[in-house]
Amino acid sequence: MAVPLALVDCNNFYASCERVFQPGLRGQPVVVLSNNDGCVIARSNEAKALGVEMGAPWHLHKDRFARTGIIVRSSNYTLYGDMSARVMRTLGGFTPDLEIYSIDEAFLGLAGFEDRLEAHARDLRATVLQWTGIPVSVGIAPTKTLAKAANRMAKKDPAPGGVALLLTAAAQEAALARMELTDLWGVARRTAEKLTALGITTPLQLRQADPQFLRERLSIVMARMVHELRGTPCLGLEEVTPDRKSIVASRSFGRPVTLPAEMAEAVAAYASRAAEKMRRQQLATANLVVFVETNRFRPGDPQHCANQSVQLPVATADTGKLIAAALRGLATIWRAGFSYKKAGVMFLDLVPAADVQGGLFDATDSPARQRLMGTVDRLNARYGRDTVSFARSGRRRAWKLRSAHHSPRYTTAWDELLTVRDTRRDQSPPPSVPPHFHGRNDEDHRQ
Amino acid sequence: MIKRSSHGGARQGAGRKGGPSEVVRLPLPVANLARRLKSGVLRAGDINGFLDVETRTSIAVPLMTSTAACGFPSPADDYLDRPLDFNELLVQNPAATFAVRIAGESMTGAGLFPGDVAVVDRSLTPVNGSIVLALIDGEFTIKRYCLVDGGIVLLAENPRFMNIEISAEVGLEVWGVVKHAIRML
């Protein structure tokens, strides 16, 4: 029997992050806009129900949103990256075998929990919600592809309470029967068309297809998909379809890392790998998060876990620049004397690489420009985005990015914390002042 | 004379493919693994294939989260040579610990003054006497959580402010427990 795998996925992640600190947004239609307030990159369920489409350009829909009461937030990647780190850290307490897949999704290997998978999953869900405020859905199955299908079920149907298990052939077939090919992970429209041309129109048919046949006619990827649908795991983490919102490269170390040079090497390697994945999709990024963590399952060891967000003035897909940024972030969180067990690099806010052309600097930066860039990056990383900005820009009209609906960086900036004031309710004065009351009034002072 | 005949014998290209082979007895999981390796579904280096094969005679002990990550080192450990770490002092559970800024005066009697940073731990369950960051009617407030006659009352720690009795009409949501206040003098 294969090791049960869980896919844990945050519900409406960006909107949920905003709601933790702004509970008034709960139950409301909320959209999150991309960098420069360009287009919609996230929607709460209520906004989806109102027909807001992913990618809708903001300037075209501004008035409509205002009229229909849709609340708008500019993307707050610093917050989202930090909240993601918290969710992942929490998940790490539920298994030693955690694979972070994207900013809001992770796979957990649940060996040893076979007799109580559902209870464990419900405990996990409740714990993540309590500790971080983020609601998640959990799908459990013998393979990643089926776990993704289970997760989708858990998310769409409120009845199972956020947890769905597809452990038996009957359950798996019943679930697949309710899905379209394009609902399957890694099957986009074009692949679905090719499958349909071969006579496969539903996920159930795909499961029953001959893997060898598909391997010859399509690709080994599809052959693997058949095995995965049947419950035979064959996807390594590197082989899963990369997420569109974020790209993560992260691994636990075989042996603990204690030297800064070793950690720098690992982080550079992860940044490099993530950059490759990003370039394959012709994307670039200006926002990344570096994280490090000691082995929590050795509580006798001194513990340290930290994450650092780094912002670049210009989105890039250049491995060199990304490694440099990741290392700068690492330098702020690395501490000597700790045995680190895990590290990772995550790229957020992925933008089409083509949109970054015409930026201030091109690929062949002169050394002087590179030093300048380095300084700018350090300042912006330390003091916040746009601390240092440029008078001119390339394609974008103004260097300073539009970000009119930005919520505070509640978890990374001391001067942007959630502020707790006196409420109307607790300010109503008591009906009468008791005789022994020693307030700061004039009578007392005159005594 | 024996005529060399072109009849009979092995057909051209007959016989077992793939080079020399031998018959071996394998346990079923290993045999399945070998079958998958041969069919090309599994690559030799693929770690996932081995997950099925290990026979588990020991039961993995599930790891509970109650004493979560990154906490205080055990007192028995000798780490006296590390500098004082304020994170260790103030943060028991980093994933669940948040900082909020106090801007109201309702808890001055408990030592929470405007301008202070309150360290809030969402993973703790409030008990009688805990100071909590709570949501009342969707508004944040910090009060002392008290259990009185089977009900919950949120006490202010400043005579100028009212206590809040929790009932069906006044709904309470505890956002987290306030563990420390930090004041810059």
Side-chain angles (χ1 to χ4, degrees):
Chain A
M1 166 65 184
V3 171
L5 298 178
L7 173 63
V8 177
D9 165 310
C10 303
N11 302 345
N12 298 334
F13 182 59
Y14 296 164
S16 294
C17 286
E18 303 279 351
R19 283 167 165 170
V20 173
F21 304 95
Q22 302 152 56
L25 296 183
R26 289 185 206 162
Q28 302 292 322
V30 177
V31 302
V32 176
L33 303 178
S34 62
N35 243 344
N36 214 23
D37 286 354
C39 57
V40 173
I41 53 164
R43 309 155 292 166
S44 69
N45 284 340
E46 298 79 6
K48 284 182 202 170
L50 285 176
V52 179
E53 278 173 15
M54 196 63 112
W58 161 238
H59 66 278
L60 288 181
H61 288 84
K62 213 186 316 205
D63 296 329
R64 175 191 157 209
F65 287 174
R67 265 182 290 120
T68 47
I70 293 175
I71 300 165
V72 176
R73 290 287 178 268
S74 307
S75 50
N76 188 344
Y77 285 107
T78 318
L79 179 67
Y80 308 152
D82 184 73
M83 293 299 280
S84 171
R86 290 165 181 274
V87 170
M88 299 307 170
R89 232 175 264 157
T90 307
L91 292 179
F94 285 86
T95 177
D97 184 13
L98 176 75
E99 290 176 354
I100 300 171
Y101 168 64
S102 77
I103 192 175
D104 66 350
E105 292 166 279
F107 286 102
L108 284 69
L110 295 180
F113 295 96
E114 286 87 347
D115 56 338
R116 73 206 96 125
L117 288 172
E118 186 172 340
H120 196 58
R122 293 200 185 280
D123 187 13
L124 177 159
R125 204 171 162 267
T127 303
V128 173
L129 183 63
Q130 177 168 356
W131 290 14
T132 68
I134 303 290
V136 304
S137 303
V138 184
I140 303 180
T143 68
K144 289 189 164 122
T145 306
L146 285 173
K148 182 83 170 168
N151 182 286
R152 185 178 172 277
M153 253 174 67
K155 198 174 278 222
K156 292 204 176 290
D157 182 5
V163 175
L165 294 94
L166 294 183
L167 298 171
T168 63
Q172 291 159 9
E173 279 161 18
L176 292 175
R178 291 199 290 272
M179 289 169 62
E180 307 286 339
L181 278 179
T182 47
D183 292 332
L184 283 177
W185 206 11
V187 179
R189 197 173 41 88
R190 252 180 302 159
T191 314
E193 281 165 10
K194 289 186 199 167
L195 285 169
T196 309
L198 293 172
I200 298 166
T201 52
T202 70
L204 261 186
Q205 286 174 354
L206 182 55
R207 172 174 159 121
Q208 286 149 7
D210 175 18
Q212 196 55 32
F213 171 70
L214 282 178
R215 186 182 173 188
E216 286 157 16
R217 298 294 296 273
L218 279 181
S219 65
I220 189 157
V221 173
M222 273 302 120
R224 284 199 195 116
M225 170 94 47
V226 175
H227 286 284
E228 284 260 320
L229 287 173
R230 289 183 189 174
T232 307
C234 36
L235 288 183
L237 186 64
E238 295 296 311
E239 289 157 314
V240 301
T241 317
D243 187 48
R244 275 160 297 140
K245 311 184 286 294
S246 62
I247 287 175
V248 181
S250 160
R251 277 283 190 274
S252 290
F253 302 124
R255 54 162 185 78
V257 167
T258 54
L259 300 174
E262 286 181 331
M263 181 60 88
E265 230 178 77
V267 166
Y270 299 156
S272 185
R273 196 182 317 155
E276 273 171 44
K277 289 197 228 180
M278 196 171 62
R279 277 196 299 275
R280 242 180 277 144
Q281 300 184 77
Q282 280 118 42
L283 298 170
T285 183
N287 259 284
L288 59 94
V289 175
V290 184
F291 55 93
V292 297
E293 171 170 313
T294 49
N295 189 347
R296 74 178 64 216
F297 298 117
R298 294 173 54 96
D301 287 357
Q303 296 289 332
H304 179 234
C305 38
N307 55 286
Q308 175 66 48
S309 181
V310 181
Q311 266 128 176
L312 301 171
V314 183
T316 179
D318 178 318
T319 297
K321 290 183 184 152
L322 291 166
I323 289 179
L327 291 177
R328 281 196 294 278
L330 174 66
T332 66
I333 55 179
W334 165 268
R335 290 164 71 183
F338 293 91
S339 296
Y340 291 104
K341 179 68 180 160
K342 185 178 197 150
V345 173
M346 173 160 58
F347 295 158
L348 320 178
D349 188 22
L350 303 174
V351 298
D355 287 358
V356 188
Q357 283 163 13
L360 191 51
F361 302 115
D362 57 34
T364 57
D365 291 349
S366 71
R369 295 293 232 191
Q370 281 176 347
R371 277 198 299 277
L372 174 62
M373 283 296 282
T375 307
V376 167
D377 286 355
R378 270 195 297 279
L379 287 170
N380 284 338
R382 178 123 195 261
Y383 295 106
R385 186 169 70 165
D386 301 330
T387 295
V388 179
S389 56
F390 294 82
R392 269 195 62 209
S393 72
R395 211 159 184 227
R396 290 185 170 155
R397 269 174 303 139
W399 182 262
K400 186 152 176 60
L401 298 173
R402 255 198 310 277
S403 184
H405 311 273
H406 203 273
S407 52
R409 293 170 296 168
Y410 298 104
T411 61
T412 54
W414 290 110
D415 52 355
E416 296 182 29
L417 300 180
L418 177 69
T419 304
V420 185
R421 307 174 198 286
D422 297 326
T423 64
R424 299 150 307 158
R425 179 179 290 278
D426 56 21
Q427 262 174 12
S428 333
S432 65
V433 175
H436 60 274
F437 171 63
H438 290 298
R440 291 187 51 203
N441 55 48
D442 291 345
E443 279 150 299
D444 280 353
H445 284 294
R446 264 186 250 121
Q447 277 164 9
Chain B
M1 184 168 119
I2 298 170
K3 186 172 158 213
R4 178 118 15 121
S5 165
S6 62
H7 293 287
R11 173 175 58 80
Q12 189 93 12
R16 194 179 292 280
K17 307 290 185 301
S21 62
E22 61 176 297
V23 176
V24 176
R25 291 186 91 81
L26 296 173
L28 282 176
V30 181
N32 285 332
L33 186 63
R35 207 169 282 131
R36 284 163 62 196
L37 263 175
K38 179 164 190 307
S39 75
V41 168
L42 193 61
R43 291 173 322 189
D46 191 336
I47 192 66
N48 286 315
F50 293 88
L51 292 176
D52 312 5
V53 175
E54 276 178 62
T55 48
R56 262 183 287 285
T57 50
S58 61
I59 310 289
V61 176
L63 297 149
M64 296 312 293
T65 61
S66 54
T67 55
C70 308
F72 250 75
S74 151
D77 292 323
D78 186 4
Y79 294 110
L80 301 173
D81 51 353
R82 279 191 298 132
L84 290 177
D85 185 339
F86 290 89
N87 270 313
E88 273 179 20
L89 181 66
L90 298 170
V91 181
Q92 265 63 63
N93 185 351
T97 301
F98 295 84
V100 303
R101 182 78 61 183
I102 308 263
E105 301 193 339
S106 63
M107 294 296 283
T108 50
L112 294 170
F113 290 87
D116 290 359
V117 171
V119 178
V120 181
D121 189 333
R122 287 184 59 108
S123 64
L124 300 175
T125 307
V127 297
N128 187 36
S130 297
I131 297 178
V132 297
L133 173 63
L135 281 168
I136 309 271
D137 287 345
E139 276 187 297
F140 281 107
T141 185
I142 294 182
K143 295 287 176 290
R144 194 180 293 278
Y145 179 94
C146 293
L147 300 171
V148 174
D149 295 330
I152 300 170
V153 179
L154 296 187
L155 298 184
E157 294 267 358
N158 179 332
R160 278 174 39 222
F161 291 81
M162 281 188 72
N163 303 333
I164 305 171
E165 273 179 37
I166 305 305
S167 60
E169 298 90 49
V170 183
L172 164 68
E173 184 185 317
V174 174
W175 199 93
V177 175
V178 178
K179 290 299 295 177
H180 316 285
I182 304 172
R183 184 166 316 120
M184 306 303 185
L185 298 173

